[in-house]
Amino acid sequence: MSNSHLVELNDVDKVFHTRHFFFKDEDTARRRLYAKRVVHAVDRVTFGIRHGEIFGLLGPNGAGKTTTVKMISGLVRPSSGDVFVDGLHVERKRLKVLRKVGVVLEGTRTCVWPLTPLENLAYFGNLKDVKGSILKQRARELLIFMGLKDKMNVQVRKLSRGEKQKLAICIALIADPPVILLDEPTTGLDVQTSRVIKDKIVQMTREQGKCVLVTTHDMHVAQELCDRIGIINMGQLVACKPTEELLSLFFDLTYEFHLDRLPDSDALADLPGVLEVEPARHEDGPVLVLRLQPELAQRSEALYTVTGRLREQGVLLRAIIQRQASLESVFLHLTTSPVDLPKVALTQPSGAEVR
Amino acid sequence: MGFLLVLKAELVRAFIIMRRYWFATLTSIIIGYGVLLMLILTFFYNRSEIQGWADKTIGENATNWALGFIVGMFAFGIVGLFSQGLQGMARSGELEQVYMSPHGLITNFLARSFVASVSSILSSALMLWLIALSVKGKLHADFGPTLVLLALTYLNLIGFGFMVGGLVLVFKQTGQIAILIRTALIFLAIFATKDVENWWLPARLLAHILPITDAAICLKMVLIEGIGTDVFAQDSFWFLIISSAIWTFLGISCFKIMENWSRDKGTLGAY
């Protein structure tokens, strides 16, 4: 275990056993009396988050993001593996760990609606052992920080969704925990509110050195916000890299060949170093999109061979453009066709490298 | 110390909500009083007896019945906090929030149920006094024994509540069965008398096991019959102490086990 990580997950596994009575089996379309199912929600996940770092956990629905967050916060018990927060084992020192973690879970009622934001913070502050004048001062500071100064004394039920979400973040921060877990913090919010929340997350991470884990579906949020990104699919961590590094892996690989006409793409697909060939049509003419091997020598050879083949077929080459990778394309590649990917470059079995 | 902080938080929350929704609080007491009086009139008085409103025996019987009903409703409310209340909290996500307090779920529910009990006892006392006045019944205000009995009743009920709540944490549908149990507690509180000792043995045992029977018997003896501290010499009082200890121990142990099982199954925030 490393001291530099505030949050650490070592080989964490979560298997849910569910029982179903009187249901229709979707596979066989038959009615069944009883069945047991095993769902592998999280499969041997290992990663760590450092002080002052924003870590993004991305994945499709049901990938295991929320279960991971819940295991860090002690809401769900891992089937195997260890979770540490600030060096404390979550299962063995759960109540101590809860003093170090602030959580905002998606889609849950995190505040008491008949109370005002100030009263909510007083209530949750007391629940989290924050007392007296410190509590009052911190509550006011947080509400001002989150832009809720004018809404301090308005009942929560009268606040907008974005304001409620800001208050939920304030509640998570009231005990000044070093670790903040945000499950889909910007889902369902308008662009402006989403922007404000993103800025506030960055600000508190940089200024106060907090360690933040964000789960999100929004690739733009992750790309703008996160220092590092882990992509989880079907319970497995398929990638875990600094954001720039993750993007650069794909940045180098995809090339657009702008041509006067489309060649026989099947002939190009079998060439060494070429992973994928996709003909497309842009406004300015036909384009051949090629994904190449990551290794430089193979990629260089592939580029020479492809241009040679195009010349042989008499195709005029207008331009070769290296495609800018977005996190969205990286995410789609990783979560839809993981077989073709350079897995070794993305995750290593030893936790230290992945982190 | 942790319990006191949580208790303070819950008290402040309940007080603010009560103050903010004072009209709803007041109308619920008035409606409760009205419904109870209407039930008494339906069950205890026929047309001619309503005209003879000042009949003392009927007044005492009605007060006795009203006390049983209010104690039953108290049990209904406290056990409900652990069954339907817990289900609702799981549904809205509030349960997960409370669970993430570093004091643990048990401390939080103890504080919650304590605050709910105090507010329920205060409003019930007011209602019972109004009913007794209306039907010319008599209540003996022996505060010492009453407080002891209420404390034991509270322990008994939260023990039972924790047991039900633990089951609800894992098996959410248990909440529906709990409605039946809660209704049974109301009836038991209404009809519980010293005559329980003459019941058929299995029924007598069941009555003593259930958390409200002896509590209701003792409270009726103190508040209606006015036996004061003599209640401490009654069999029912000792049954009440034993059942309080057993239910509290069993309930909290069961809740602890179920809480961990619920974390295993991931059902803490699911309904």
Side-chain angles (χ1 to χ4, degrees), chain A residues 17 58 72 119 125-126 152 189 193 222 226 241 248 251 274 284 300 332:
Chain A
H17 298 270
L58 300 187
I72 299 170
E119 290 162 350
N126 274 320
M152 267 184 201
L189 301 183
T193 314
C226 302
K241 285 273 174 194
S248 70
F251 181 80
V274 177
D284 59 340
S300 168
L332 285 172

Side-chain angles (χ1 to χ4, degrees), chain A residues 24-35:
Chain A
K24 192 172 181 181
D25 194 327
E26 284 175 9
D27 298 332
T28 58
R30 279 185 179 176
R31 291 201 175 277
R32 291 183 66 180
L33 202 62
Y34 172 76

Side-chain angles (χ1 to χ4, degrees), chain A residues 14 16 70 74-77 91 94-95 103 105 108-110 114-115 119 123 126-127 129 155 157, chain B residues 5-6 9-10 13 16 20-21 92 96-97 99-103 108 112 259-260 263-265:
Chain A
K14 183 63 202 174
F16 289 115
K70 287 187 175 180
L75 285 167
V76 169
R77 194 151 64 171
E91 283 308 304
R94 197 176 57 80
L95 295 183
V103 189
L105 291 170
T108 61
R109 186 181 286 199
T110 43
L115 303 185
E119 290 162 350
Y123 172 67
N126 274 320
L127 287 190
D129 265 1
Q155 278 183 53
R157 64 188 177 88
Chain B
L5 258 180
V6 179
E10 288 297 339
R13 184 179 75 117
I16 291 171
R20 194 153 287 156
Y21 297 98
S92 69
E96 288 182 320
Q97 285 299 314
Y99 184 79
M100 279 183 283
S101 141
H103 301 290
N108 276 281
R112 251 167 207 256
E259 185 187 320
N260 283 332
R263 288 176 57 228
D264 249 352
K265 288 182 72 175

